[in-house]
């Protein structure tokens, strides 16, 4: 049986919140699972879901070329993206999901929203509410803290992160990408 585990702390025994549940929604163990904490990089799960929704709707495709803006390229802690260069949506999803690349997540948010990242973040929050994940509050497409972004802190609790994970596994392509520890993008250059 597969299980999800969400714990924040130095190690498994030093967590601030814990939730272990299976893929069917059965919670096996939880402690402080309703305590709201910063989301950090798991924010990118919602960014990926919204991008995959747009692909499913036919608004965009995996092979669409995204021209990376200078703003997206300058977002810290990501792979080397060159401003003005084009990458496919699939490549940016790989960088976001496998490498947790903040700049790739930002580039996807720009592309999906037609350049309006605050509107993309609004969509992230709307999707969370639609899914009943009411502790989730998104401020960015990547989860960087306010010191890096000048926005609020992306936050939520372990119980709602579990709900988000259960939603993410409904997306076959999310699983196809995330099962890889490494992959190539940009025609094998990265």
């Amino acid at each position: 049986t597969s299980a999800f585990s969400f714990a924040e702390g130095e190690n498994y025994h030093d967590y601030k919140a814990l939730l272990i549940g299976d893929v069917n929604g059965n919670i096996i163990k939880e402690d402080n699972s309703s305590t709201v904490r910063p989301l950090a990089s798991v924010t990118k799960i919602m960014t990926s879901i919204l991008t995959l929704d747009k692909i499913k709707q036919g608004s965009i495709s995996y092979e669409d070329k995204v021209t990376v803006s200078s703003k997206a390229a300058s977002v810290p802690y990501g792979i080397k993206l060159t401003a003005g260069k084009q990458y496919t949506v699939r490549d940016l999803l790989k960088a976001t999901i496998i490498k947790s690349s903040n700049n790739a997540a930002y580039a996807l948010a720009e592309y999906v929203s037609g350049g309006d990242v605050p509107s993309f973040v609004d969509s992230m929050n709307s999707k969370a509410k639609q899914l009943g994940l009411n502790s989730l509050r998104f401020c960015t497409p990547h989860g960087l803290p306010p010191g890096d972004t000048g926005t609020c802190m992306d936050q939520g609790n372990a119980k709602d992160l579990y709900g988000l994970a259960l939603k993410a596994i409904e997306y076959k392509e999310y699983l196809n990408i995330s099962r890889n520890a490494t992959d190539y993008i940009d025609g094998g250059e990265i």
Side-chain angles (χ1 to χ4, degrees), residues 17-164:
L18 170 75
L19 187 142
I20 301 171
D22 69 14
V23 296
N24 300 313
N26 300 305
I27 295 173
I28 298 158
K29 181 176 180 173
E30 61 183 313
D31 188 22
N32 294 326
S33 63
S34 295
T35 304
V36 173
R37 308 279 308 148
L39 292 176
S41 283
V42 293
T43 297
K44 295 180 191 85
I45 296 172
M46 184 62 90
T47 297
S48 300
I49 284 173
L50 288 185
T51 303
L52 292 166
D53 281 347
K54 287 291 185 186
I55 292 168
K56 195 183 290 187
Q57 294 160 10
S59 310
I60 64 173
S61 84
Y62 289 110
E63 303 317 315
D64 284 2
K65 301 276 190 196
V66 177
T67 304
V68 172
S69 71
S70 56
K71 185 164 186 177
S74 69
V75 174
Y77 316 116
I79 64 165
K80 175 74 174 120
L81 290 181
T82 306
K85 188 169 178 177
Q86 292 189 325
Y87 303 84
T88 64
V89 168
R90 185 183 311 278
D91 281 354
L92 292 173
L93 274 168
K94 286 179 181 181
T96 299
I97 294 169
I98 299 169
K99 192 68 177 163
S100 192
S101 184
N102 295 316
N103 50 13
Y106 195 90
L108 284 173
E110 281 186 330
Y111 185 68
V112 169
S113 68
D116 187 353
V117 174
S119 144
F120 184 86
V121 171
D122 288 346
S123 297
M124 294 170 77
N125 286 306
S126 296
K127 182 78 170 184
K129 296 291 176 263
Q130 174 199 327
L131 296 172
L133 308 174
N134 296 316
S135 77
L136 299 183
R137 179 189 75 187
F138 296 103
C139 306
T140 72
H142 42 56
L144 283 170
D148 287 317
T149 63
T151 64
C152 56
M153 178 77 77
D154 300 280
Q155 64 183 30
N157 64 34
K159 192 167 278 197
D160 286 346
L161 281 179
Y162 174 53
L164 187 62

